[in-house]
Coordinates of all heavy atoms in Angstrom, one line a residue:
L19 N -3.2 5.5 -63.5 CA -2.5 5.3 -62.3 C -3.1 6.1 -61.1 O -2.7 5.9 -59.9 CB -1.0 5.5 -62.4 CG -0.2 4.5 -63.4 CD1 1.2 4.8 -63.5 CD2 -0.5 3.0 -62.9
T20 N -3.8 7.1 -61.4 CA -4.4 7.9 -60.4 C -5.7 7.3 -59.7 O -6.3 7.7 -58.7 CB -4.8 9.3 -60.9 OG1 -5.7 9.3 -61.9 CG2 -3.5 10.0 -61.4
E21 N -6.2 6.2 -60.5 CA -7.4 5.5 -59.9 C -7.0 4.7 -58.7 O -6.0 4.2 -58.6 CB -7.9 4.6 -61.0 CG -8.4 5.2 -62.3 CD -8.8 4.3 -63.4 OE1 -8.4 3.2 -63.3 OE2 -9.7 4.6 -64.1
P22 N -8.1 4.5 -57.8 CA -7.7 3.7 -56.7 C -7.4 2.2 -57.1 O -7.7 1.8 -58.2 CB -9.2 3.6 -56.0 CG -9.9 4.9 -56.5 CD -9.4 5.1 -57.9
D23 N -6.8 1.6 -56.2 CA -6.2 0.2 -56.5 C -7.3 -0.7 -57.0 O -7.2 -1.6 -57.8 CB -5.4 -0.3 -55.3 CG -4.1 0.4 -55.3 OD1 -3.7 1.1 -56.2 OD2 -3.5 0.2 -54.2
A24 N -8.4 -0.6 -56.2 CA -9.5 -1.6 -56.3 C -10.1 -1.4 -57.8 O -10.4 -2.4 -58.6 CB -10.6 -1.3 -55.4
V25 N -10.2 -0.2 -58.2 CA -10.8 0.1 -59.6 C -9.9 -0.3 -60.5 O -10.2 -0.9 -61.6 CB -11.1 1.8 -59.7 CG1 -11.5 2.1 -61.2 CG2 -12.1 2.1 -58.8
R26 N -8.5 0.0 -60.4 CA -7.6 -0.5 -61.4 C -7.4 -2.0 -61.5 O -7.3 -2.5 -62.6 CB -6.2 0.1 -61.0 CG -5.7 1.3 -61.8 CD -4.1 1.6 -61.6 NE -3.5 1.1 -60.6 CZ -3.2 1.7 -59.4 NH1 -3.9 3.0 -59.1 NH2 -2.5 1.3 -58.4
G27 N -7.6 -2.5 -60.3 CA -7.5 -4.1 -60.3 C -8.8 -4.6 -61.1 O -8.6 -5.6 -61.8
A28 N -10.0 -4.1 -61.0 CA -11.1 -4.6 -61.7 C -11.0 -4.3 -63.2 O -11.2 -5.2 -64.0 CB -12.4 -3.8 -61.3
R29 N -10.4 -3.2 -63.7 CA -10.3 -2.9 -64.9 C -9.2 -4.0 -65.6 O -9.3 -4.5 -66.7 CB -9.7 -1.5 -65.1 CG -9.3 -1.2 -66.6 CD -8.7 0.2 -66.7 NE -8.3 0.6 -68.0 CZ -9.0 1.0 -69.0 NH1 -10.3 1.1 -68.8 NH2 -8.5 1.1 -70.2
R30 N -8.0 -4.2 -64.9 CA -7.1 -5.1 -65.4 C -7.6 -6.6 -65.5 O -7.3 -7.3 -66.5 CB -5.9 -5.1 -64.5 CG -4.8 -6.0 -64.9 CD -3.5 -5.8 -64.1 NE -2.4 -6.8 -64.6 CZ -1.2 -6.6 -64.2 NH1 -0.8 -5.7 -63.5 NH2 -0.4 -7.5 -64.7
R31 N -8.5 -6.9 -64.5 CA -9.0 -8.3 -64.5 C -9.9 -8.4 -65.7 O -9.9 -9.5 -66.3 CB -9.7 -8.6 -63.2 CG -8.9 -8.8 -62.0 CD -9.6 -9.6 -60.9 NE -10.8 -8.9 -60.6 CZ -11.0 -7.9 -59.7 NH1 -10.0 -7.4 -59.1 NH2 -12.2 -7.4 -59.4
L32 N -10.7 -7.4 -65.9 CA -11.6 -7.4 -67.1 C -10.8 -7.4 -68.4 O -11.2 -8.1 -69.4 CB -12.5 -6.2 -67.2 CG -13.7 -6.3 -66.1 CD1 -14.3 -4.9 -66.0 CD2 -14.6 -7.4 -66.7

Side-chain angles (χ1 to χ4, degrees):
L19 293 180
T20 62
E21 293 177 334
D23 288 346
V25 175
R26 260 200 331 273
R29 177 183 172 82
R30 178 169 180 167
R31 289 197 308 276
L32 284 167

